[in-house]
Structures are given as structure tokens and as C-alpha cells.
Amino acid sequence: LHKAIRRQRQMCIRDRSIALCAAEVDSYNLGWLPQGYSLMEHYAMLDTSQEHWVKDGIALSWTYSAAPLGLPDGEYNVVRVNGTEARFWTAEEPYTEAELKEEKEYSGSGYTIPGMKHTNTLAWQDPDTGVYFRLQSIQDQDTMVRMAENVK
């Protein structure tokens, strides 16, 4: 995937007047994904972008924002993404093989966006730009760190 440079500006409504806010976020792409994923949706919401990538009926969620993102409660492991400290939360209730098979069969041409308790979460902040990143997936820690290290 190629990096597309695009600035997103958010408009804020304050006291019946519209003012241009300072939040700007470059457009980023996942430079590497495990084989078989396809982009299903991309949302650009004010200072935040979110994408859903799907494989076998289960979505991977990737979000980046100028503002802090919601994260799981509980304990996490500290990992490194290109030398930057990141946090990795293991799913509270990971899918079983039987549940994954059922989701694949049930989804048909659609897909499921698993709840936070069913996904692993990797979060980090770019020290140079201040942009917050979050990946949520059923993929393991090593795979998610590899995806994060290839954000372009």
C-alpha cells in the first residue's frame, strides 16, 4: 500500500460560530497485513480515521487520531514498535477455533467486528507527530507488532 498524504481538518462549532481547529492528521496506511485481508470500510471522522480489514469474516480494526483513543482496562504488556514504547492487551475472551469457524460460515459475504473482549489491542503514539494509533485484531502480538512497524 502506498502512503497518501492528505490533511484532515475538523470544524468545530462554538457559540454559533464555526472556527477551524488546529487538529490535523496525515493519512496513514498499513504497509503490511497478513495474507488474505481486504479493506472493507474506511471512515474519516474529524481528526480520526478508522479502517476495517476483513479475513474469513472477522474484521481487524485500525484507528489513528490526533486525540487519545479508547483503550481496554486491565493489565498490558509493554512492547516496542520501531523503538517506541507501545502497549499490548490480550483479549479477555479470545475466540475458540469452533467460534472462528462458525463466524466464517455465518458471515457469507459480510463480516463481524468483534467486541473489545474478543480482540487483542495494540496501542502506541508517534513521538514525532503526536498521532495515536490502535490496532484491534484476533492476530497474535508478534503479527500485530509487525503490522504496526509497517505503518506508512
Side-chain angles (χ1 to χ4, degrees):
L1 300 173
H2 300 284
K3 180 177 179 182
I5 304 296
R6 180 181 79 233
R7 294 277 182 187
Q8 298 173 342
R9 296 179 182 264
Q10 71 176 7
M11 300 298 287
C12 297
I13 299 175
R14 294 191 184 128
D15 301 323
R16 296 186 183 167
S17 65
I18 298 178
L20 182 61
C21 295
E24 293 183 359
V25 178
D26 283 339
S27 181
Y28 294 89
N29 289 302
L30 291 171
W32 179 86
L33 284 157
Q35 189 172 6
Y37 276 96
S38 298
L39 178 63
M40 295 303 283
E41 294 181 301
H42 173 87
Y43 302 99
M45 305 164 283
L46 302 174
D47 62 349
T48 302
S49 288
Q50 182 174 38
E51 294 179 349
H52 291 132
W53 292 81
V54 178
K55 177 181 177 182
D56 296 332
I58 303 287
L60 170 154
S61 177
W62 180 55
T63 308
Y64 57 91
S65 178
L69 297 165
L71 299 172
D73 293 326
E75 295 183 24
Y76 57 85
N77 294 325
V78 174
V79 297
R80 294 275 175 199
V81 171
N82 294 326
T84 298
E85 185 175 296
R87 294 180 281 175
F88 182 84
W89 289 263
T90 302
E92 291 176 35
E93 297 177 20
Y95 280 117
T96 65
E97 289 298 319
E99 289 171 325
L100 289 173
K101 183 179 177 185
E102 184 178 314
E103 288 291 342
K104 182 177 180 179
E105 291 171 359
Y106 174 75
S107 67
S109 61
Y111 61 95
T112 298
I113 301 172
M116 195 175 284
K117 69 180 183 178
H118 295 297
T119 60
N120 297 320
T121 301
L122 177 65
W124 71 102
Q125 183 179 18
D126 184 301
D128 297 326
T129 64
V131 173
Y132 295 87
F133 295 92
R134 181 185 65 208
L135 277 169
Q136 293 176 293
S137 171
I138 62 171
Q139 297 295 323
D140 64 30
Q141 178 179 311
D142 291 340
T143 302
M144 291 176 71
V145 167
R146 182 175 176 194
M147 289 188 299
E149 289 180 335
N150 284 281
V151 167
K152 308 281 185 210

